Amino acid sequence: MAVALGRGGPYAAQGEGIMSRVVAVIACGFTLAACSTTMPSLDFMKSAPQSEMLAIDSEPPGAEAKTSLGQSCRTPCQLAVQPGSEFSVTLALSGYQLQTVSVRQEVQGAGAAPRFAPNPVHVTLQAVTPPKKPVAKKKKPVVAAARPAASRPVASATPTVAPAPAARAAPITPAPSGSAEAAPSATNYPWPSR
């Protein structure tokens, strides 16, 4: 029995199909190799990193929250922040001290998207205490009459008695019992009678 090896044979259709597949795979390989060297970068097709919402809250509310990236809002609020490096949030409210919180990215697990920490940012603002002013002591006015004068002699209610001369002392005689005149004093100083 003779088998015809021509176009109409049973193996002819099978051989042509394999050959066409091989040619197609080689052509695709060359096409991909050519595209990778001559095509511009396909970075424009990559999606930008998705922004994450950062919640900011303060006690008392109503503080001006400003990030080091330039975004701001009034608390309580949320800001859409692009993931990147570490940044800070500064909160300011009249009558309270400025407070700054650092926010960084943390990776939760392998393959997980990084998250901001802390999120939400919660700050309790400290009231500003005004500096105490020193209390001025009231100065008492100096009155000239109130000062004792050292150079002026002080008048005394008791009279000063001059010592008697060292001459002979007169004998003291007792006064007669019926006389109206008092006896002279020992200092011979006449005192008025009462």
Side-chain angles (χ1 to χ4, degrees):
M1 194 159 127
V3 177
L5 294 174
R7 289 185 152 202
Y11 299 108
Q14 187 178 13
E16 286 177 10
I18 292 176
M19 186 58 108
S20 64
R21 288 184 194 156
V22 169
V23 170
V25 169
I26 292 173
C28 286
F30 283 130
T31 305
L32 287 175
C35 286
S36 67
T37 58
T38 59
M39 287 287 289
S41 173
L42 299 177
D43 288 340
F44 68 91
M45 294 183 71
K46 292 181 183 176
S47 62
Q50 203 171 22
S51 62
E52 184 179 343
M53 295 306 287
L54 177 68
I56 305 170
D57 190 20
S58 69
E59 185 63 40
E64 178 74 23
K66 188 169 187 176
T67 68
S68 59
L69 304 173
Q71 300 167 309
S72 65
C73 64
R74 287 239 178 246
T75 61
C77 60
Q78 290 187 350
L79 294 174
V81 181
Q82 293 291 330
S85 62
E86 185 173 322
F87 63 95
S88 63
V89 178
T90 301
L91 287 99
L93 184 62
S94 179
Y96 293 88
Q97 294 177 356
L98 285 178
Q99 294 212 353
T100 302
V101 176
S102 290
V103 179
R104 63 193 178 288
Q105 287 188 345
E106 289 183 350
V107 178
Q108 302 288 324
R115 296 276 181 204
F116 291 125
N119 191 5
V121 174
H122 181 77
V123 175
T124 301
L125 298 171
Q126 303 295 320
V128 174
T129 56
K132 293 184 178 181
K133 295 180 181 177
V135 178
K137 294 181 180 178
K138 294 182 180 179
K139 294 182 179 180
K140 294 181 181 179
V142 178
V143 180
R147 266 190 282 163
S151 61
R152 259 190 309 185
V154 178
S156 146
T158 52
T160 55
V161 179
R168 289 191 276 173
I172 299 177
T173 55
S177 58
S179 82
E181 227 176 281
S185 70
T187 59
N188 293 328
Y189 190 82
W191 290 96
S193 56
R194 294 187 195 176

